[in-house]
Amino acid sequence: MEKEYHILSLSGGKDSTALAFFMKENMPEIFEKLELVFCDTEHEIPETYDYLNKIEIFLNKKITVLKPEKSFDHLYSILKILPSVNRRWCTPLLKTNVFKSYIKNKLQNNFNINLYIGIRADEAFRLESSKKNKTKNIIEKHPFVDFGIIKKDVENILNNCGINYPNYYKWRKRSGCYFCFYQSPADWLNLYKHHPDLYKKAMEYEFESGDDLKKTRFGWNIKYSLKEIIKNKKNIKAKNALNKHEIKNLFEFL
């Protein structure tokens, strides 16, 4: 009987996906036993789900999809406050705790769990935080760090295997929920452009409280409501274009 599990947690992003393909090519004996796990908040952008389907086809391996015990809407009805930078309840309740519970159930068999994480060699500083949170019987593995794989290598891995980057990278910086509060006003406008239906759904969560003298807004963005972002889209687009120009000039100067 096998004495250990091998698990790779997929985010639907480039690094964890590239790691799965890297392991298939360079660690076939492990890949054969490897379980791919995705924590589904049930509010991911459509491109993420499309990409996960492609991963299954390209790797010929089924992805284990974990879903939260209580939905976002159910949790929101209880907590009565939207998640934010200061109250980031969505990530632990919809993803982190779900994955931990799944791992805990496997640990009941007293097997070791080898957890493969897509931290690259050029971001090895992130390993310091993981060292502080060691758990008995869970062994973190970082193949990209061990093999010296950096961001450019990740791009080559995805291109060479033919799956390429997820389509959302054309207009979004990262995977995640369509209403993620980390999105900038420019990111929100991109969501409005590519998925207006999801933008409108996100708008439905926002509300104001209090009288006219002391009214408080509860929304996804600190500065603007989603209605205001649409009204100010010309200014936001212009500011975003300016920021990109300034960044380009900075890199040229350096």
Side-chain angles (χ1 to χ4, degrees):
M1 182 179 290
E2 189 170 320
K3 298 288 185 180
E4 57 186 4
Y5 293 109
H6 298 271
I7 296 176
L8 192 162
S9 178
L10 284 173
S11 66
K14 64 183 190 309
D15 291 336
S16 60
T17 301
L19 179 57
F21 282 89
F22 177 84
M23 291 180 67
K24 181 180 181 181
E25 185 69 24
N26 297 277
M27 307 165 67
E29 70 290 346
I30 298 296
F31 181 80
E32 187 178 340
K33 299 176 283 188
L34 186 67
E35 181 181 10
L36 304 177
V37 178
F38 173 71
C39 294
D40 183 10
T41 63
E42 301 180 314
H43 292 278
E44 309 290 326
I45 52 176
E47 288 88 340
T48 298
Y49 295 117
D50 291 342
Y51 198 59
L52 291 168
N53 289 334
K54 284 178 68 176
I55 292 170
E56 286 189 330
I57 293 169
F58 275 66
L59 292 176
N60 193 28
K61 184 182 281 285
K62 191 71 177 173
I63 297 172
T64 299
V65 178
L66 307 181
K67 294 182 181 290
E69 184 178 337
K70 294 182 173 62
S71 70
F72 175 86
D73 289 324
H74 181 82
L75 293 167
Y76 178 51
S77 70
I78 296 172
L79 298 170
K80 302 187 185 304
I81 189 164
L82 290 174
S84 64
V85 176
N86 296 325
R87 297 184 183 88
R88 191 183 170 187
W89 57 261
C90 51
T91 302
L93 296 182
L94 297 178
K95 291 180 81 78
T96 311
N97 292 354
V98 177
F99 186 68
K100 285 181 177 178
S101 178
Y102 184 71
I103 294 293
K104 186 177 179 181
N105 286 335
K106 288 187 175 292
L107 287 174
Q108 290 177 356
N109 296 326
N110 292 320
F111 290 173
N112 287 330
I113 294 179
N114 294 291
L115 189 59
Y116 297 86
I117 302 172
I119 294 177
R120 305 187 309 267
D122 54 331
E123 52 180 11
F125 60 88
R126 291 173 55 193
L127 298 180
E128 291 302 317
S129 59
S130 64
K131 288 178 182 176
K132 298 175 184 177
N133 301 312
K134 283 189 175 182
T135 304
K136 185 180 178 182
N137 295 110
I138 298 178
I139 306 161
E140 289 193 4
K141 305 276 189 176
H142 307 93
F144 281 170
V145 176
D146 298 336
F147 284 83
I149 301 297
I150 60 175
K151 186 177 181 181
K152 184 63 178 176
D153 299 318
V154 164
E155 183 177 347
N156 290 336
I157 291 168
L158 296 176
N159 289 339
N160 291 339
C161 73
I163 196 169
N164 302 312
Y165 274 30
N167 284 333
Y168 62 75
Y169 276 117
K170 296 175 182 176
W171 58 272
R172 205 174 197 247
K173 299 182 186 74
R174 61 198 295 270
S175 62
C177 298
Y178 68 85
F179 48 51
C180 182
F181 50 82
Y182 282 120
Q183 294 177 107
S184 67
D187 293 327
W188 279 108
L189 282 178
N190 282 332
L191 178 68
Y192 182 66
K193 177 182 177 181
H194 292 273
H195 298 292
D197 56 326
L198 296 181
Y199 191 95
K200 289 172 184 175
K201 279 186 179 180
M203 285 176 65
E204 293 172 2
Y205 287 104
E206 296 192 323
F207 67 95
E208 291 184 340
S209 179
D211 55 32
D212 292 334
L213 296 176
K214 193 176 181 181
K215 188 166 283 187
T216 303
R217 179 177 63 81
F218 294 91
W220 300 108
N221 184 264
I222 295 175
K223 189 173 183 180
Y224 302 105
S225 70
L226 297 190
K227 286 183 181 179
E228 290 170 337
I229 285 177
I230 296 174
K231 284 183 181 179
N232 292 284
K233 62 181 179 181
K234 287 185 178 180
N235 292 334
I236 291 170
K237 284 180 179 179
K239 185 177 180 181
N240 189 56
L242 177 63
N243 288 341
K244 286 182 178 178
H245 179 69
E246 289 172 345
I247 291 170
K248 182 181 178 182
N249 286 343
L250 175 61
F251 278 108
E252 287 176 351
F253 175 76
L254 295 173

